[in-house]
Amino acid sequence: MRIFSGIQPSGAIHLGNYLGALKQWVNLQEKNECIFCIVDWHALTVPYNPQELQKSISEKLIAYLAAGIDPNKSIIFVQSQVKEHAELAWLLNTICPIGELERMTQYKDKSKKYKDNINAGLLNYPVLMAADILLYKTQAVPTGKDQEQHVELTRTLARKFNQKFSNKEEFFPEPDSIMPEYGAKIMSLTDPKKKMSKSDDPKSYISLFDAPESITKKIMSAETDSGKDVIYNVTKKPGISNLLVIYSLLTEKSIKDIETEFRGKGYGEFKKSLAQVVINYLEPFRRKKKEFETKDSYVKEILEKGQARARVIAEATMKEVREKMGLI
Ligand code: ATP
Ligand code: LTN
């Protein structure tokens, strides 16, 4: 299968991004043709600092590598280096109903969060994402739960394009979402009713590269619920349930077994143990990050090679798209 996914170069990659997306990518690359993108154009739709953008892109690439994405198996590249993404996004805009965009949850959330910057890019964001995916004739898109709606719109646009411009034959495949059974929506540590998000306060997430002391501090002060029993109940105990999911995914123990282990022990002891689990799990990530930071030219080369490989596919698709749409 051809797989495509991306992460924005905003904030620091956190456990939610890892458990929802990156961890799946690492497994998928073994048996599929995978393309992983750092979607810098998407990150411009909310306020950002131009001086920090390139640094943030390098950090994301290092996070991909530290998490286990192998540049010999997968294509890794930066979105803005392959201009066909913008061209296809424009063309798909002409078949995308505005109403579909206005009902997108992420658009509604982000326009509430950035009231002074509700730009057209924020509304059109899912069309660019559809272009990212369709440009590579992708069959499946591994992401967290929050992106499911955007992948659904991508399917709608693929179908519309095929009907209008391809004699109803499948030119663009309609891509499936791939989501993990657990971990598709890891919640914020400071507000467990909201998803963990890189653009929020760093106290609300654990970055893949947080120092051990910082991990302990964040977990010990994570918002938990009234009561003291370590029990999974998303409606009554969203805070402790979120921590249980993280514990279970990182140790591969079932939630039931963890509940039994901490019966009668209270939140404090559970959190202390979780902090240790997270610190140990992320230790190789911190080590690999240091290693890659000293290999500047190797890291640059990965992006150059990735870009060249991505471009070959993108150019071929666009040639066909232009012909189908009556362009030269
Ligand atoms: P931002 O706050 O800048 O919007 P984000 O934290 O939502 O960032 P993205 O770059 O938008 O991160 O997402 C990268 C990938 O991580 C996507 O596949 C997304 O679905 C997934 N993801 C993001 N947040 C979570 C989460 N809390 N739980 C599980 N998966 C997540
Ligand atoms: N919108 C996604 C990032 C993204 C993406 C993509 C994911 C942009 N293009 C294509 C999968 C496939 C997000 O905010 N996480």
Side-chain angles (χ1 to χ4, degrees), residues 3-269:
I3 307 275
F4 184 99
S5 198
I7 289 188
Q8 303 183 63
S10 54
I13 294 203
H14 52 67
L15 267 185
N17 300 138
Y18 176 72
L19 296 171
L22 262 176
K23 192 165 174 243
Q24 305 193 75
W25 301 4
V26 175
N27 295 332
L28 284 164
Q29 69 179 346
E30 297 307 324
K31 291 208 176 111
N32 299 281
E33 190 187 346
C34 290
I35 308 176
F36 300 123
C37 188
I38 299 168
V39 289
D40 52 350
W41 276 334
H42 279 93
L44 314 187
T45 56
V46 296
Y48 74 103
N49 183 345
Q51 271 86 47
E52 284 171 14
L53 188 62
Q54 292 313 310
K55 190 167 156 256
S56 182
I57 291 174
S58 304
E59 277 169 13
K60 300 304 162 290
L61 172 61
I62 288 178
Y64 283 13
L65 300 175
I69 303 293
D70 178 347
N72 294 316
K73 293 182 181 148
S74 302
I75 297 180
I76 309 174
F77 76 106
V78 177
Q79 182 185 38
S80 64
Q81 300 302 309
V82 180
K83 307 296 180 213
E84 284 78 4
H85 288 248
E87 184 181 358
L88 184 58
W90 176 256
L91 299 177
L92 294 177
N93 263 316
T94 64
I95 58 166
C96 181
I98 296 179
E100 292 275 347
L101 300 176
E102 283 167 337
R103 68 180 187 85
M104 292 288 142
T105 309
Q106 181 173 300
Y107 169 67
K108 289 190 211 156
D109 288 350
K110 294 215 167 167
S111 41
K112 253 189 235 148
K113 190 164 170 183
Y114 303 104
K115 283 200 182 67
D116 300 332
N117 186 18
I118 308 178
N119 59 80
L122 197 59
L123 180 70
N124 278 317
Y125 179 113
V127 183
L128 178 57
M129 177 162 161
D132 299 339
I133 296 167
L134 298 181
L135 194 51
Y136 300 93
K137 298 191 177 170
T138 301
Q139 284 144 316
V141 186
T143 65
K145 178 96 184 127
D146 61 323
Q147 297 304 311
E148 196 180 17
Q149 207 182 18
H150 293 163
V151 180
E152 196 186 323
L153 175 69
T154 305
R155 281 196 290 277
T156 305
L157 295 182
R159 206 174 315 127
K160 273 193 174 230
F161 184 95
N162 293 342
Q163 276 167 358
K164 262 189 138 143
F165 300 111
S166 200
N167 293 325
K168 299 190 179 154
E169 272 169 31
E170 183 180 285
F171 172 69
F172 286 130
E174 290 182 34
D176 290 321
S177 276
I178 305 183
M179 272 181 291
E181 196 179 342
Y182 295 99
K185 191 172 183 184
I186 297 294
M187 308 311 275
S188 152
L189 296 180
T190 49
D191 178 358
K193 297 236 162 72
K194 266 178 36 189
K195 85 169 187 95
M196 187 177 277
S197 177
K198 325 193 214 85
S199 49
D200 278 349
D201 181 349
K203 283 195 204 105
S204 69
Y205 61 75
I206 292 170
S207 142
L208 293 189
F209 304 125
D210 271 347
E213 315 77 66
S214 163
I215 295 175
T216 305
K217 228 188 202 165
K218 288 181 188 181
I219 291 181
M220 293 313 288
S221 52
E223 176 78 25
T224 33
D225 325 280
S226 57
K228 55 181 171 32
D229 296 329
V230 180
I231 287 174
Y232 184 83
N233 183 329
V234 178
T235 33
K236 290 197 182 133
K237 288 173 170 275
I240 217 72
S241 301
N242 187 42
L243 298 184
L244 269 166
V245 168
I246 297 175
Y247 200 115
S248 164
L249 291 169
L250 298 187
T251 56
E252 291 179 15
K253 288 183 189 170
S254 74
I255 291 193
K256 275 267 152 293
D257 285 350
I258 305 166
E259 285 174 346
T260 311
E261 195 178 328
F262 288 95
R263 190 172 295 150
K265 292 193 176 154
Y267 292 166
E269 199 162 325

